[in-house]
Amino acid sequence: MDKNLYKYNKRTLRFEKAGIPWDRILFRVLGFSGIAFGTFFGLAYLKSRYFGSEESVRLRKENEAIAYHRTRLQAELTEIRGAVQNLSKEEENLYKTVYFTDRNDQGPAAPTVNPDDLDRYEFHDLADRTLIRLGSLFDRASGNNSFFGNFFWPGKEDHLELRHLPVLPPVKGFEVKQVACGFGMQINPFNKKPYKHSGIDVLAEHGTAVLAAGNGVIRSITVDGAPGGAGTSVLIDHGDGYQTKYSRLEHVLVRTGQKVAKGLIIADIGLSGSSIAPHLHFEILRNGKHVDPALVLVENLSEADLVVLQSVGQSPKQALD
Amino acid sequence: MLFRYFRYDPIHCGFIVDRKAPKEARRSTLRFLALSIGMGLVLFGIYALFLPEYDEVVLQEYNTVAKASWTELKNEIRELDDRITMLEREDDDHYRVLLNMEKLPASIRRGGSGGRTESDWTNQSDLPIIKRGYQDVKVLWNRVRMGNQSYVELKDKIEEKEGMLASRPALQPLDNRQITRFHGLYGMRMHPVYRDWRFHHGLDLTARPGTPVYATGEGLVTVAKYSGGYGQVVFVNHGYGFETRYAHLSKIKVAEGQKVKRGELLGLVGNTGTSTGPHLHYEVLFKDEWVNPIHFMYRDLSQSDFNEIIREAKK
């Protein structure tokens, strides 16, 4: 028999000699290695699955457990995420009912405080005057002694003068987010109509210490348990036309005529007067006129805090009265 | 696809398909299978003899990958934890301070009982990270549930408070335009009729007879009658310790036991009782003691807002 292999050529309609039958060889090689490796891997799997070491059994179990519980926990977390979302929505509704306004989620708006407003309150007057005095002292000192030219430190009395400015937020542990209602036209909690709010409301727990905003003298103390008006209040005279009034207090810890230093605890927060929540109603008066405390309070406040503080009063919110 | 091959058959002088006889084909297939399986066995033998722990290495690798993917889960838990913490802080440090309520301690928020039963969580692995995951999820659920519960509490309290705010006297009982003289004197004064020093317990608002008098807060009319000193008088009990009195009326427009809203018409200004001219005598009492009504008038209310309150009360 002829050993040659032939192929049938459909185009020429003839049988032609075929070369090496690569397809057959490939088929056999693939088949061979496929079955060989299939057997090998099958046996290797069976070995590790049923005759594996303790370690491999443990690892296999662990891997399976992780995969299974991961999907389960993932499902739980998705559910929790939904529940948390609902919770935030509820919180927004609470805010709305409490403050009679939507929460400003865009963060504090850029304050539209006119620098002239500050001048109107003559807030910088004292600071400027002190600065001029410091400048002249500095010049004089540096003319006499080069040490002062390099290491100048303002005099003690200058410090004192600056400390009279009521710039310290008047509640212990003050944070700007505690300012629940700002200065200006706000919403009256009782009849829900706009009214003039003469100070800021600092929300704080009942009994929180109230601090003197600057050095000064206690001008008057009103103790009033009646449920209307300012309630128990303290008026401090800081000199230079500045006065601060602290109302809705519980206990007053100072006497009329007493000199107080900035930061001294003068009273604690209560629910006196027309208060509907424990808070301090804080007013700053300049020559007898109410000014926006957000423009005066600066101590211990960062730039960002000041932006927040000054933007509180810009959108009417329900006051704590 | 395999080609079809032919061979030249000199006996038949023709081409025949290159195919083995069935018997031979079967034998060669079996041989082929035996050879390849044998080869597989040889390979396995070598593997089992020389690499006995190789499967552990592979499994260990899978394990590492699986554990790495677990951090994703942990991150999600942490993120949710942060969000809930923020809400809790707002709840405790803001709303609970505002409403003068006790804070919810973390132990209650985290470890509240109830809800998912323990058995749901027992079917878990002893693997520490999985256990930890379930614990975290359980705590998250507890905190969410307590948050919801807390909000229900807060809402109740707010509602109660809103009721209190609505019933508290907070309005001027007469329209500003109709007051001819606002007599802001509360305290000791010379009595115009008896001509002696007496404590004046209210404020006098002078107005023409027939000017409408409005209730200053939600409440219940407890007295609406003629009495010697007050003349035609209406007492409104607002609850929460507050009472208001409107005296010297010429006409009473409400009946005892009637519920009134803030801004509702009570009567008309008159000159009845011990009075020297038509005016409204307005008193505010807190826990049966007189307080200065000026604190409950909010005189800076704009005219349009005043009108709106009166209009709303009419509905």
Side-chain angles (χ1 to χ4, degrees), chain A residues 6 23-24 36 48 53 62-63 69-70 74 76 81 90-91 98-99 190 192 227 271 276-277, chain B residues 3 5-6 18 55-56 63 67 69 73 76 94-95 98 100 134 141 155 161-162 168 262 298:
Chain A
Y6 296 86
D23 53 336
R24 281 189 176 179
S48 78
S53 64
E62 210 173 289
N63 289 350
H69 290 292
R70 219 190 100 171
Q74 195 69 53
E76 289 284 343
R81 189 175 289 277
E90 289 277 311
E91 195 271 336
V98 167
Y99 288 111
F190 301 107
K192 314 288 182 207
L271 272 160
I276 63 165
Chain B
F3 290 112
Y5 288 98
F6 298 90
D18 179 41
D55 57 336
E56 272 175 37
N63 196 266
K67 278 183 179 163
S69 73
L73 204 73
E76 204 173 338
H94 183 180
Y95 295 110
L98 189 85
N100 212 3
Y134 277 101
W141 268 127
K155 265 191 223 154
K161 194 154 219 167
E162 284 297 318
R168 184 163 170 149
R262 179 180 290 140
Y298 297 95

Side-chain angles (χ1 to χ4, degrees), chain A residues 110-302:
Chain A
T112 51
V113 176
N114 192 343
D116 295 341
D117 281 354
L118 291 167
D119 278 352
R120 201 178 67 220
Y121 297 153
E122 299 168 48
F123 168 62
H124 290 309
D125 278 11
L126 186 64
D128 283 348
R129 258 182 285 133
T130 313
L131 212 70
I132 291 165
R133 267 190 61 200
L134 283 179
S136 67
L137 275 169
F138 182 88
D139 288 344
R140 219 153 14 104
S142 59
N144 295 338
N145 187 328
S146 65
F147 174 79
F148 279 111
N150 295 321
F151 304 100
F152 177 73
W153 198 251
K156 207 179 171 189
E157 62 271 35
D158 303 310
H159 263 305
L160 280 174
E161 202 162 318
L162 275 174
R163 289 182 68 82
H164 280 282
L165 280 172
V167 290
L168 181 74
V171 169
K172 198 172 183 187
F174 177 83
E175 279 177 61
V176 275
K177 66 174 188 188
Q178 280 178 276
V179 180
C181 184
F183 179 84
M185 288 313 277
Q186 304 293 337
I187 298 164
N188 183 326
F190 301 107
N191 53 32
K192 314 288 182 207
K193 298 288 185 251
Y195 80 137
K196 220 171 156 196
H197 197 226
S198 55
I200 57 171
D201 286 340
V202 184
L203 182 67
E205 267 173 83
H206 201 146
T208 306
V210 174
L211 315 174
N215 286 1
V217 180
I218 305 290
R219 179 66 55 226
S220 67
I221 294 171
T222 321
V223 178
D224 187 0
T232 298
S233 59
V234 172
L235 184 73
I236 299 181
D237 199 334
H238 299 281
D240 206 41
Y242 276 106
Q243 286 183 323
T244 49
K245 194 178 169 191
Y246 312 75
S247 344
R248 328 291 195 253
L249 307 172
E250 178 98 8
H251 306 106
V252 177
L253 308 172
V254 288
R255 285 169 286 107
T256 309
Q258 183 181 334
K259 276 189 179 174
V260 291
K262 186 200 283 191
L264 186 85
I265 299 175
I266 54 168
D268 55 13
I269 283 176
L271 272 160
S272 65
S274 56
S275 191
I276 63 165
H279 75 283
L280 171 74
H281 181 88
F282 177 67
E283 294 170 12
I284 297 182
L285 295 104
R286 169 76 179 157
N287 296 330
K289 271 190 181 162
H290 287 107
V291 301
D292 186 353
L295 301 179
V296 181
L297 299 177
V298 287
E299 196 161 321
N300 298 340
L301 296 180
S302 69

Side-chain angles (χ1 to χ4, degrees), chain B residues 183-221:
Chain B
H183 208 82
L185 193 99
Y186 173 85
M188 290 306 283
R189 63 138 193 210
M190 178 67 86
H191 196 277
V193 176
Y194 297 118
R195 295 273 150 211
D196 57 359
W197 284 97
R198 281 177 192 224
F199 198 89
H200 188 228
H201 295 299
L203 291 181
D204 291 336
L205 294 102
T206 311
R208 288 159 61 92
T211 304
V213 175
Y214 304 109
T216 54
E218 224 172 83
L220 192 75
V221 177

Side-chain angles (χ1 to χ4, degrees), chain A residues 5 18-23 25, chain B residues 5:
Chain A
L5 285 172
I20 304 159
W22 286 115
D23 53 336
I25 293 166
Chain B
Y5 288 98

Side-chain angles (χ1 to χ4, degrees), chain A residues 64-80:
Chain A
E64 279 166 6
I66 288 177
Y68 171 69
H69 290 292
R70 219 190 100 171
T71 46
R72 256 187 87 177
L73 285 174
Q74 195 69 53
E76 289 284 343
L77 287 180
T78 313
E79 247 182 274
I80 291 176

Side-chain angles (χ1 to χ4, degrees), chain B residues 140-166:
Chain B
L140 287 180
W141 268 127
N142 275 332
R143 292 169 72 186
V144 166
R145 200 173 316 111
M146 286 313 290
N148 270 321
Q149 222 166 300
S150 164
Y151 282 168
V152 170
E153 231 176 281
L154 292 180
K155 265 191 223 154
D156 283 352
K157 189 87 182 187
I158 289 171
E159 212 166 286
E160 187 193 316
K161 194 154 219 167
E162 284 297 318
M164 194 262 273
L165 298 181

Side-chain angles (χ1 to χ4, degrees), chain B residues 55-72:
Chain B
D55 57 336
E56 272 175 37
V57 176
V58 174
L59 285 169
Q60 189 63 58
E61 214 155 283
Y62 277 129
N63 196 266
T64 316
V65 171
K67 278 183 179 163
S69 73
W70 195 267
T71 50
E72 236 171 79

